[in-house]
mmCIF file of all heavy atoms in Angstrom:
data_model
loop_
_atom_site.group_PDB
_atom_site.id
_atom_site.type_symbol
_atom_site.label_atom_id
_atom_site.label_comp_id
_atom_site.label_asym_id
_atom_site.label_seq_id
_atom_site.Cartn_x
_atom_site.Cartn_y
_atom_site.Cartn_z
ATOM 1 N N LEU A 80 5.123 5.647 -2.655
ATOM 2 C CA LEU A 80 5.783 6.832 -2.117
ATOM 3 C C LEU A 80 5.667 6.781 -0.595
ATOM 4 O O LEU A 80 4.609 7.037 -0.028
ATOM 5 C CB LEU A 80 5.126 8.085 -2.684
ATOM 6 C CG LEU A 80 5.842 9.413 -2.452
ATOM 7 C CD1 LEU A 80 7.203 9.433 -3.135
ATOM 8 C CD2 LEU A 80 4.984 10.563 -2.978
ATOM 9 N N GLY A 81 6.770 6.421 0.043
ATOM 10 C CA GLY A 81 6.762 6.247 1.492
ATOM 11 C C GLY A 81 7.220 7.488 2.231
ATOM 12 O O GLY A 81 8.191 8.141 1.848
ATOM 13 N N GLU A 82 6.487 7.823 3.269
ATOM 14 C CA GLU A 82 6.843 8.934 4.154
ATOM 15 C C GLU A 82 7.085 10.247 3.395
ATOM 16 O O GLU A 82 8.048 10.973 3.677
ATOM 17 C CB GLU A 82 8.094 8.614 4.999
ATOM 18 C CG GLU A 82 7.944 7.449 5.930
ATOM 19 C CD GLU A 82 7.972 6.101 5.236
ATOM 20 O OE1 GLU A 82 8.935 5.826 4.506
ATOM 21 O OE2 GLU A 82 7.024 5.328 5.401
ATOM 22 N N PRO A 83 6.266 10.611 2.432
ATOM 23 C CA PRO A 83 6.543 11.813 1.635
ATOM 24 C C PRO A 83 6.567 13.101 2.447
ATOM 25 O O PRO A 83 7.256 14.050 2.067
ATOM 26 C CB PRO A 83 5.401 11.833 0.610
ATOM 27 C CG PRO A 83 4.299 11.043 1.240
ATOM 28 C CD PRO A 83 4.999 9.967 2.020
ATOM 29 N N LEU A 84 5.847 13.135 3.561
ATOM 30 C CA LEU A 84 5.771 14.370 4.340
ATOM 31 C C LEU A 84 7.089 14.692 5.028
ATOM 32 O O LEU A 84 7.283 15.820 5.486
ATOM 33 C CB LEU A 84 4.656 14.268 5.387
ATOM 34 C CG LEU A 84 3.265 13.904 4.861
ATOM 35 C CD1 LEU A 84 2.258 13.912 5.998
ATOM 36 C CD2 LEU A 84 2.829 14.845 3.752
ATOM 37 N N GLU A 85 7.996 13.718 5.101
ATOM 38 C CA GLU A 85 9.273 13.967 5.773
ATOM 39 C C GLU A 85 10.234 14.775 4.898
ATOM 40 O O GLU A 85 11.220 15.316 5.404
ATOM 41 C CB GLU A 85 9.895 12.642 6.216
ATOM 42 C CG GLU A 85 9.036 11.935 7.260
ATOM 43 C CD GLU A 85 9.763 10.818 7.976
ATOM 44 O OE1 GLU A 85 11.005 10.843 8.034
ATOM 45 O OE2 GLU A 85 9.078 9.914 8.504
ATOM 46 N N ASP A 86 9.946 14.855 3.604
ATOM 47 C CA ASP A 86 10.734 15.707 2.702
ATOM 48 C C ASP A 86 9.874 16.001 1.479
ATOM 49 O O ASP A 86 10.034 15.389 0.422
ATOM 50 C CB ASP A 86 12.039 15.021 2.301
ATOM 51 C CG ASP A 86 12.990 15.955 1.544
ATOM 52 O OD1 ASP A 86 12.521 16.989 1.025
ATOM 53 O OD2 ASP A 86 14.195 15.640 1.454
ATOM 54 N N LEU A 87 8.949 16.954 1.640
ATOM 55 C CA LEU A 87 7.980 17.221 0.575
ATOM 56 C C LEU A 87 8.629 17.668 -0.732
ATOM 57 O O LEU A 87 8.209 17.215 -1.806
ATOM 58 C CB LEU A 87 6.954 18.260 1.051
ATOM 59 C CG LEU A 87 5.792 17.711 1.870
ATOM 60 C CD1 LEU A 87 4.903 18.860 2.343
ATOM 61 C CD2 LEU A 87 4.975 16.723 1.064
ATOM 62 N N PRO A 88 9.634 18.529 -0.724
ATOM 63 C CA PRO A 88 10.240 18.902 -2.007
ATOM 64 C C PRO A 88 10.785 17.699 -2.767
ATOM 65 O O PRO A 88 10.616 17.596 -3.985
ATOM 66 C CB PRO A 88 11.353 19.886 -1.601
ATOM 67 C CG PRO A 88 10.876 20.476 -0.317
ATOM 68 C CD PRO A 88 10.180 19.358 0.382
ATOM 69 N N TYR A 89 11.436 16.786 -2.048
ATOM 70 C CA TYR A 89 11.971 15.601 -2.707
ATOM 71 C C TYR A 89 10.839 14.691 -3.197
ATOM 72 O O TYR A 89 10.887 14.145 -4.303
ATOM 73 C CB TYR A 89 12.889 14.834 -1.759
ATOM 74 C CG TYR A 89 13.740 13.797 -2.463
ATOM 75 C CD1 TYR A 89 14.942 14.151 -3.058
ATOM 76 C CD2 TYR A 89 13.336 12.466 -2.538
ATOM 77 C CE1 TYR A 89 15.726 13.206 -3.706
ATOM 78 C CE2 TYR A 89 14.106 11.522 -3.181
ATOM 79 C CZ TYR A 89 15.303 11.900 -3.768
ATOM 80 O OH TYR A 89 16.064 10.956 -4.412
ATOM 81 N N ALA A 90 9.801 14.538 -2.378
ATOM 82 C CA ALA A 90 8.655 13.728 -2.784
ATOM 83 C C ALA A 90 8.011 14.291 -4.045
ATOM 84 O O ALA A 90 7.663 13.539 -4.978
ATOM 85 C CB ALA A 90 7.634 13.669 -1.650
ATOM 86 N N GLU A 91 7.860 15.592 -4.095
ATOM 87 C CA GLU A 91 7.246 16.220 -5.275
ATOM 88 C C GLU A 91 8.142 16.071 -6.501
ATOM 89 O O GLU A 91 7.647 15.896 -7.629
ATOM 90 C CB GLU A 91 6.942 17.679 -4.970
ATOM 91 C CG GLU A 91 5.777 17.823 -3.982
ATOM 92 C CD GLU A 91 5.660 19.198 -3.364
ATOM 93 O OE1 GLU A 91 6.528 20.060 -3.651
ATOM 94 O OE2 GLU A 91 4.711 19.412 -2.588
ATOM 95 N N GLU A 92 9.452 16.107 -6.296
ATOM 96 C CA GLU A 92 10.375 15.863 -7.406
ATOM 97 C C GLU A 92 10.201 14.444 -7.944
ATOM 98 O O GLU A 92 10.185 14.213 -9.166
ATOM 99 C CB GLU A 92 11.809 16.076 -6.946
ATOM 100 C CG GLU A 92 12.843 15.852 -8.042
ATOM 101 C CD GLU A 92 14.268 15.985 -7.532
ATOM 102 O OE1 GLU A 92 14.484 16.549 -6.443
ATOM 103 O OE2 GLU A 92 15.165 15.494 -8.249
ATOM 104 N N MET A 93 10.059 13.476 -7.052
ATOM 105 C CA MET A 93 9.868 12.088 -7.479
ATOM 106 C C MET A 93 8.530 11.903 -8.194
ATOM 107 O O MET A 93 8.427 11.145 -9.158
ATOM 108 C CB MET A 93 9.948 11.145 -6.274
ATOM 109 C CG MET A 93 11.312 11.081 -5.626
ATOM 110 S SD MET A 93 12.648 10.537 -6.744
ATOM 111 C CE MET A 93 13.355 12.135 -7.223
ATOM 112 N N LEU A 94 7.514 12.627 -7.762
ATOM 113 C CA LEU A 94 6.217 12.535 -8.426
ATOM 114 C C LEU A 94 6.269 13.089 -9.847
ATOM 115 O O LEU A 94 5.488 12.687 -10.708
ATOM 116 C CB LEU A 94 5.153 13.284 -7.620
ATOM 117 C CG LEU A 94 4.637 12.577 -6.377
ATOM 118 C CD1 LEU A 94 3.625 13.462 -5.642
ATOM 119 C CD2 LEU A 94 3.995 11.241 -6.731
ATOM 120 N N ALA A 95 7.165 14.012 -10.091
ATOM 121 C CA ALA A 95 7.285 14.613 -11.424
ATOM 122 C C ALA A 95 8.236 13.841 -12.333
ATOM 123 O O ALA A 95 8.369 14.176 -13.511
ATOM 124 C CB ALA A 95 7.761 16.063 -11.294
ATOM 125 N N LEU A 96 8.881 12.804 -11.792
ATOM 126 C CA LEU A 96 9.948 12.136 -12.531
ATOM 127 C C LEU A 96 9.437 11.275 -13.678
ATOM 128 O O LEU A 96 10.070 11.191 -14.738
ATOM 129 C CB LEU A 96 10.764 11.264 -11.562
ATOM 130 C CG LEU A 96 12.049 10.645 -12.101
ATOM 131 C CD1 LEU A 96 13.079 11.716 -12.440
ATOM 132 C CD2 LEU A 96 12.621 9.659 -11.077
ATOM 133 N N LEU A 97 8.273 10.615 -13.493
ATOM 134 C CA LEU A 97 7.761 9.660 -14.469
ATOM 135 C C LEU A 97 6.270 9.904 -14.723
ATOM 136 O O LEU A 97 5.578 10.480 -13.882
ATOM 137 C CB LEU A 97 7.954 8.233 -13.954
ATOM 138 C CG LEU A 97 9.391 7.720 -13.825
ATOM 139 C CD1 LEU A 97 9.411 6.388 -13.091
ATOM 140 C CD2 LEU A 97 10.052 7.589 -15.183
ATOM 141 N N PRO A 98 5.763 9.424 -15.851
ATOM 142 C CA PRO A 98 4.323 9.550 -16.141
ATOM 143 C C PRO A 98 3.543 8.430 -15.441
ATOM 144 O O PRO A 98 3.116 7.451 -16.054
ATOM 145 C CB PRO A 98 4.269 9.402 -17.661
ATOM 146 C CG PRO A 98 5.427 8.516 -17.992
ATOM 147 C CD PRO A 98 6.511 8.863 -16.997
#
Side-chain angles (χ1 to χ4, degrees):
L80 191 63
E82 298 75 54
L84 306 183
E85 296 195 24
D86 189 341
L87 277 177
Y89 194 85
E91 289 165 357
E92 180 184 343
M93 294 301 98
L94 283 178
L96 189 65
L97 293 171

